[in-house]
Every structure is written in structure tokens, then in C-alpha cells.
Amino acid sequence: MNNIQRINTLIQPQKDILLQHPLYSKISNLEDLHHFLEGHVYAVWDFMSLLKALQSKLTCTTTPWFASADANTRYLINEIVLAEESDLTLDGQRLSHFEMYLSAMKACGANTQALQDFLADVQETKNIFVSIKLSDLHPNIKAFLEFTFRVIEQGKTHEIAAAFTFGREDLIPSMFTSILKEFKSNFPTVDLKELVYYFDRHIELDADEHGPMAFDMIQALCGSDPIKWKEVEEISVQALEMRIQLWNAIEETICKESLV
């Protein structure tokens, strides 16, 4: 069993919790769907920061330009950035996946104002941790965001790659397939074309391209260093635990609103 296989075995319990989370069955009407999107969008947004942190560390994004150390890893991260930051939309335009998600939220009536207010505050304070602390976000969403940006701030490339790969990219295809099935069965009369396209696009890219690329990146970054592999293990578990807490927060919000 190689290191990648060993880590996948280690984190399987957390992945099982996420894939079988009761949240999916709680999305039974359009309002529930809105609550899901309004909570999940923070994971869509902070994912882009993980990605750009990796690009900053694994390629040259400053001038004067110099070739980064590993051309294969350079290619891997740039290929992922290209799709995540400037993919084709349903109508053939170019947008980041985050912008596509926001557009899909608006199309089905979800509220994006809270997120936009939060992002405006981040730009004003120029300190993500202050903005998280002062926000009105659910404590679990705050913890989720704080974990992501602490990993980025600590600056260990293999740990950022671990949060990106095992906490996000490798999980997305199966998880979004489960969500997509719920959407199609629960909302047959609601126009969810953009949302379905977003999920389908992630399934296509992450299962066929980005997931395998990300595993190659982890292997290149850790090599035969047992300390790095151990740190990758720890971050991977923590990243999935944070995602579970995010799902718990969204489920809690849906359940509270249903009682009102």
C-alpha cells in the first residue's frame, strides 16, 4: 500500500460520514436548498484561496520570472487554476467556479447578500481572521474558514496541498453526485440549470482530471519524507472534520428554520 492509498484508508471514516450525512435528506423544499447554498458557498470561496496559495508556492507569480523547481507540479497546478478560475459557463462565457456558483444561487433565488457583505469586510479590514471573528456567521462556518486560512498562513506547501486534495478535490465527485440526486428528485419544477451544470462540471473535472493531478502533486511534494507524509495525514483528517462541522451547521440552520 503506497502513501496515497494509506491516507485514503485513514480518512475513509470521515468521508463516509460526509457521503451519508443526514443533511442531504433535509433539503426537501426550495427554502432548504437556499440555506444549503448560502452555507456551502463559503467552502466554494475559500477553496479558491487554497488554490491560489498553491499556485503562489508551486509556480512563479512574481517578476522577474524564474522557472519553479518542478515542471510537472507547475503544470498540474496551472492546469487546475485554468479551469477553476476561468471555466466555460452554461452559455459559453468565462467565469471562475465561484462566480458560476454565485450566478447559480441568484438564478434559483438564494440570498448572496450575506456573503457579499462578508467579502466586502474582508477587503476593508485586509485581515481575514478579523473579518471571520467579527462576522455573524455560524460558529462552525467560522471554524471552517479559520482552519483554511491558518493552513495557508502557516505556509507549508504540502499541508496546503493536503487540505486541497484530500479535504476538497478528492471528495467532491462522490459528494456532489449525492447532492445532485437530491436536487433532481426534490425540485423537478424549479429551474436549476446553472446549479446542475456547476455540479456536473465539478464531477467531470475532479473525477477525471483534477483528482488524479492533485494526487500526483502530493506525491511530488512529500517524496519519501515521513514527516511530511505524517503532516499530510493530520491536515487531511482535520480538513474533513471541518467539512463535517460545516455540514452540521447547514443542517442545523435548515432544521431551525423548519420550526419557525
Side-chain angles (χ1 to χ4, degrees):
M1 181 183 294
N2 63 34
N3 285 310
I4 296 293
Q5 292 170 330
R6 181 171 52 78
I7 293 173
N8 273 324
T9 299
L10 177 71
I11 63 178
Q12 193 59 51
Q14 285 81 18
K15 291 173 72 172
D16 288 342
I17 291 172
L18 285 165
L19 294 172
Q20 300 165 17
H21 200 284
L23 166 63
Y24 310 131
S25 64
K26 301 291 174 59
I27 305 174
S28 58
N29 56 53
L30 190 58
E31 184 179 4
D32 297 338
L33 174 59
H34 289 167
H35 288 310
F36 170 79
L37 298 175
E38 290 159 13
H40 178 237
V41 68
Y42 292 93
V44 178
W45 174 70
D46 80 335
F47 171 83
M48 297 302 295
S49 290
L50 283 172
L51 176 59
K52 299 304 284 187
L54 285 173
Q55 187 182 35
S56 177
K57 289 179 174 296
L58 297 174
T59 74
C60 183
T61 58
T62 57
T63 57
W65 179 88
F66 296 97
S68 53
D70 189 324
N72 287 328
T73 301
R74 185 194 317 158
Y75 169 79
L76 292 176
I77 199 65
N78 280 334
E79 184 72 14
I80 294 173
V81 167
L82 177 64
E84 294 289 346
E85 200 167 39
S86 53
D87 203 4
L88 281 172
T89 64
L90 187 61
D91 61 357
Q93 303 299 308
R94 291 285 179 185
L95 287 177
S96 70
H97 284 186
F98 170 68
E99 291 167 309
M100 289 167 61
Y101 197 89
L102 282 185
S103 179
M105 287 178 68
K106 293 174 183 177
C108 73
N111 187 351
T112 63
Q113 191 59 53
L115 172 73
Q116 291 169 336
D117 290 345
F118 174 74
L119 296 184
D121 190 72
V122 172
Q123 289 181 308
E124 182 177 344
T125 65
K126 296 180 173 55
N127 187 317
I128 183 63
F129 298 105
V130 169
S131 292
I132 293 170
K133 182 177 180 180
L134 297 179
S135 73
D136 294 327
L137 294 171
H138 189 287
N140 289 17
I141 298 179
K142 288 186 176 185
F144 179 87
L145 292 172
E146 284 173 352
F147 169 78
T148 295
F149 287 98
R150 288 295 177 198
V151 171
I152 292 172
E153 183 184 55
Q154 288 163 7
K156 292 185 178 182
T157 308
H158 59 284
E159 291 187 346
I160 299 172
F164 177 89
T165 301
F166 294 101
R168 305 294 182 93
E169 286 292 286
D170 182 43
L171 179 67
I172 283 172
S174 296
M175 184 178 69
F176 277 10
T177 299
S178 297
I179 296 172
L180 196 57
K181 288 178 181 177
E182 294 291 336
F183 288 167
K184 287 180 177 178
S185 62
N186 288 340
F187 312 109
T189 63
V190 177
D191 185 2
L192 298 172
K193 291 193 299 292
E194 288 189 51
L195 194 59
V196 170
Y197 176 80
Y198 172 87
F199 287 160
D200 280 341
R201 189 69 179 136
H202 258 286
I203 292 168
E204 176 186 356
L205 286 173
D206 295 334
D208 297 336
E209 300 178 30
H210 294 178
M213 285 182 179
F215 286 141
D216 289 342
M217 175 177 61
I218 292 284
Q219 185 64 56
L221 289 172
C222 293
S224 58
D225 188 329
I227 295 177
K228 287 184 176 180
W229 281 111
K230 182 62 176 177
E231 290 174 337
V232 165
E233 285 182 17
E234 292 171 353
I235 290 295
S236 299
V237 171
Q238 291 175 49
L240 291 178
E241 291 290 349
M242 288 295 104
R243 174 68 74 137
I244 292 169
Q245 292 305 310
L246 175 64
W247 259 209
N248 290 346
I250 298 172
E251 181 190 13
E252 179 184 318
T253 299
I254 290 173
C255 290
K256 281 185 177 179
E257 292 298 324
S258 67
L259 296 175
V260 175

